[in-house]
Amino acid sequence: MFLHIVRRLGASLPTLFLVSVLIFLLLRLVPGDPAQLLLGDLATEQSLARVRQQMGLDLPWPQQYLIWTGQVLQGDFGRSIQTGQEILPLILRRFGVTLSIVAVAIVIAALIAIPVGMIAAWKQNSRLDVGLVAISTLLLSIPSFWMGLLLLLFFGLHLGWLPVVGYVSLAENFQRGLLYLIMPVITLVLVESGTLVRMMRSSTLEVLRLDYISHARAKGVGERTVLARHAFPNAFGPTLTLLGIMLGNLLSGIAVVETVFTLPGLGRLLVEGIYARDYPVVQGCMLFIAALYILVNIVIDAIHPLFDPRVKDT
Amino acid sequence: MELTARITSHSGDTSTTKKGNTVMKFLLPIPLLMLCGLSLAQAASNETVTVAMNADMRSTQPGVNRDGNTDGVMMHVVEGLVGYREDGSVGPMLAERYDISEDGLTYTFHLREGVRFHNGETMTAEYVVWSWDRWMDPETEWRCLADFDGTVGLEVTGVSAPDEHTVTMTLAEPSALLLATMARPDCGVVAVVHPDSVDEEGNWIEPIGTGPYKFGRWDHNRSIELNRFHDYVSRDEPMDGYVGGKQPTIETVRILIVPDPATVVAGLQSGDIDAAMLGSADSRSLRGVPGVELAVASNGQRNGLLIQTQDPLLSDPRIRRAMALAIDTEQAALGSSEGLGTPSNSNVPVASAWYGEMQAQGYEYDPEAARALLAEAGYNGEPIEIIANRRPVVPSYNVAIIAQAMLQEVGINAQVNTMEWATQLDRYSRGRYQMMSFTYSPRFDPALMFEQITGDKRQEPRKVWDNSQAIALIGELSRTEDDASRQALVDELHTMMIEDTPLLFFFPGVSVAAYREHVEGFTPWFGENPRMWAVRTIL
Amino acid sequence: MKRLSLPPLNALLGGLLLGILVAAALVGLVWTPFDPLRINILGRLQAPDTLHWLGTDEFGRDVLSRLMDAAFTTLSISLLTVLAAVFAGVWLGVLSGYLGGLVDRLVMMITNTLLAFPGILLALGLLSVLGNSRYGIVLALALAYTPSVVRIVRGTVRSLRESDYVEAARVMGHSEPFILARHILPNCLAPLIVLATSMLGWAIISESALSFLGLGVPPPRPTWGNMLAASRENLADAAWLAVFPGLCISFALLGVNLLGDALRDFLDPRMKP
């Protein structure tokens, strides 16, 4: 299996290469000049030329690309054009914010959604099932940014219980930091558990129909044991895949939620980098996100066989 | 009730409460008034004041790797021979006074005596010359090198120190811009720094200047600390802009980097932030908030609509004129600034010393005349695109939307197209637009204000007003030293600009100073940036 | 018999919700209570009343009229996106699955790259190149969704290419295009329809999210997403600005999801009770 993972990692290298080339080209095709943005309306031809030269933006594109990839291969992502900060530590710090929210939210969502989905499947077509499906379909239909705004309106502005804007890192002040995480986490939990419940329900339904479940039941095994011991391990496979996709998407794409709650996460860094035409920041973020995405997929694929006997056999 | 009471008494720090009680017993005989005085004095010293800034500074080297925030921080640490006053005129700073020779070619600066650098050494003419030579060295990459070496026009041929307290500068040709350029914050006010600011190879370490604050700790992208310079020797006259008396009282100024204005607002409400400069839109949510006070002033920015005079349609001055008549300046200004802006069609901002009766005269709001002019020009509903952006720091979008409504009112088919700032700026510098809602950054000298908008489009496509007569007048303005003759030229340029209508200004930028009520002297002004040497705290 | 003639509840409800929104969008094309772009500085931030049923925004524009105008923008963009993605995806999927070899490897490489590429940057890039138009968004989103279509079509084509009855058709002398059109593509239809419905939902969310981030349809032209984004400035004073556009997005999504469920039940009877 280890070999398999290494091979998959190797196979993802061309994808990463393509991603890096595409980002590089796209960024430079988009109108807007980082040097100009830095200087604003104070820019003169001389000052622009000087900044471009300092940043290496006056070199031909292929040369710029080679310099950049050469540095990245040595673990140096360069410095931000706008702020002069080193990019890798910046990305990691911002990623920490995103990760803390996403990880907590996904764990909570899974803990809620998996039992709920199985119960709904077990009690298929009962009132409980219909109610649960209706609620999860409703949750599925609320976009995260609106959910966030509604929570802000109610808990932040109406009740005044939770801070409306800003962010305090957990390392700085744990208790206050937690306060800032509550609403983003609730938002993600609500939005994502709708999808998860439905997935878990349908895969449980499929498993419950299989022969060995009927056998177990015929042998007089209790319903609880049937669900926990026999149905769950096999029904969890597809949900796990979904969790993986979700994780990959969320880690790279909660820019919207970060915008609503003004959180300094990775998504904001990327969007702000795009606005500022901060080439090295955007390139670094994108490469990081693409690698992360691929990694999450490989890990999920690797642990998938543990939950799905059919995959293990092939 | 009982529960709340108990929680309070338990959560409160019991030790201080007890100590407080014992102290109170001892102090009881002392008159209450004295007690108040005591606590006030304690509060006034030993204080840290936290100011929010929307982005980190770029470097500690003034005038080299910089932006507006960098200038704002550096103005606390370094000083030059001259600097800008409150109204944008130039006043002496490290120079006690200065003389200009008859022919306008020699400037003699008489330095103040007893001024100390942060490392304790006395500032003398020798250091002024050393600093000048360092800035003018191309290796330093000073952004204003071209402004002094003759590239742009002004050429300083020599700087020398005839004695310890005198510095002379000689020019190739007379210019009114020498002092105004030396005073520019983006040039680092041609800071006089101690040679220990650089290492043996000449690389910059940290500024050792003469300013009221020493540069302290810099935690990149989080905070900057400035420490009070106890040996600062102030000028006698009252504070005026970046010059005049500076008597710092705050021990530590903590500059907190907070990019999101909404967070600044929340921080001011909670007391985590003591003071911040805000835009008009963000200040709205602070109105009526207990414990927070607001002060408003016009600054040196100018908001308006640029017109591409080479556009086939807009090259017709009648159509440009019609647009000017169609827009109610007052409504446009107030409507896009939360009612805080000062309506004005002038390129010279209202707060400037050069703003006079003449500058107050702009366009009359006359939709009927606008319609008539359009008909005369044969305008037939051709669409006119107004480019705008939605950055929170400028009113670009608001101005565009309100102007669009008024233009449509007289039958002009104006369409707002929102763009990302990067894209808009690209269009600006290439001159590729019909109209554009734009905000010019502040200039202190009127020659520089007009130079911003005026020029030959073939050479500099970003310039809006391509008028050879105006270009000649600006050249004359930058050579003329006499204030009355300068004012006459500024007035003439204003009249010409209104007549030509290459762009429409509606109001200067608005600075809102927001501060907790224990902060005093945190005033908004022409130059936008905070001046913490004037700030003190009260109980 | 009776059971077949009565559509299930979720189909009815979903159809009703989408129907209302589509009707509002179509009516909005020819008539809205007020001009959705007309500003009125004196009448800004008015709470819902009998004149402005859903209130006015920060420029005094009528919220109901803007929502109607936005409905057409959002729904048409989403629909076009799905159509474009399906069109491109089917072609690429068939080519790659049927021809195999180098073409297949190339298509899969592009597909994988696109999957690892955040839609935001793609959208921004295309928007800037195409000049702030709604077609830029359609193109960007369609590009992002095409890989899913390619995967489904390619999988089906590959599994059927060597199957017995396709072999039989070859033996009978049918041409390859005929076999594709007659025997292979119809088998992709059911999963494709299910996928297209979910994609419609994704497209609505993505378009709104892009507009919310300021990367979508540029204001002043309203979309539900950019109306929500603008509402943040006045959240404390004018909650209705945040509530109504969000409701529209959610109704649209709910409609699509319910219809999608009904469709899947219908096409994939195993899931049926």
Side-chain angles (χ1 to χ4, degrees), chain B residues 50-213:
Chain B
T50 306
V51 199
M53 195 163 80
N54 64 3
D56 204 354
M57 60 190 296
R58 299 188 50 81
S59 80
T60 63
Q61 195 167 189
V64 178
N65 184 5
R66 46 86 35 208
D67 59 7
N69 285 332
T70 313
D71 300 343
V73 176
M74 279 302 125
M75 289 305 104
H76 292 82
V77 182
V78 298
E79 292 168 333
L81 295 178
V82 294
Y84 279 118
R85 293 200 187 99
E86 203 84 25
D87 61 4
S89 59
V90 178
M93 188 61 231
L94 288 178
E96 183 64 55
R97 61 198 162 80
Y98 46 81
D99 314 314
I100 307 170
S101 65
E102 283 291 312
D103 57 4
L105 291 178
T106 308
Y107 285 65
T108 309
F109 297 91
H110 305 280
L111 303 185
R112 280 164 59 209
E113 294 182 27
V115 172
R116 297 269 182 102
F117 283 113
H118 293 159
N119 62 4
E121 293 199 31
T122 309
M123 192 271 306
T124 57
E126 169 200 359
Y127 294 120
V128 178
V129 177
W130 182 88
S131 299
W132 173 263
D133 287 343
R134 180 180 151 80
W135 297 129
M136 290 303 283
D137 181 350
E139 296 241 315
T140 308
E141 299 191 317
W142 189 35
R143 66 171 275 117
C144 297
L145 179 61
D147 293 290
F148 290 101
D149 71 355
T151 313
V152 178
L154 173 64
E155 185 179 356
V156 177
T157 49
V159 174
S160 59
D163 65 58
E164 218 173 67
H165 302 297
T166 313
V167 172
T168 57
M169 292 175 96
T170 46
L171 303 186
E173 276 171 55
S175 167
L177 287 185
L178 176 69
L179 297 175
T181 312
M182 285 174 72
R184 269 165 58 181
D186 64 299
C187 297
V189 287
V190 197
V192 176
V193 291
H194 192 272
D196 285 353
S197 304
V198 302
D199 66 15
E200 279 151 27
E201 275 103 57
N203 297 314
W204 186 258
I205 313 170
E206 210 175 66
I208 300 174
T210 58
Y213 280 91

Side-chain angles (χ1 to χ4, degrees), chain B residues 223-261:
Chain B
S223 65
I224 301 162
E225 266 182 25
L226 301 178
N227 301 313
R228 183 179 153 194
F229 178 36
H230 288 271
D231 296 331
Y232 185 78
V233 185
S234 172
R235 294 185 73 96
D236 295 332
E237 64 268 34
M239 176 184 88
D240 192 358
Y242 279 134
V243 298
K246 300 176 184 174
Q247 267 120 7
T249 60
I250 311 294
E251 273 313 300
T252 308
V253 172
R254 186 160 155 264
I255 300 168
L256 203 63
I257 317 299
V258 192
D260 185 55

Side-chain angles (χ1 to χ4, degrees), chain A residues 117-132:
Chain A
M118 290 184 72
I119 289 171
W122 182 46
K123 296 273 180 196
Q124 193 189 5
N125 292 335
S126 69
R127 273 191 201 170
L128 182 69
D129 177 35
V130 172
L132 288 175

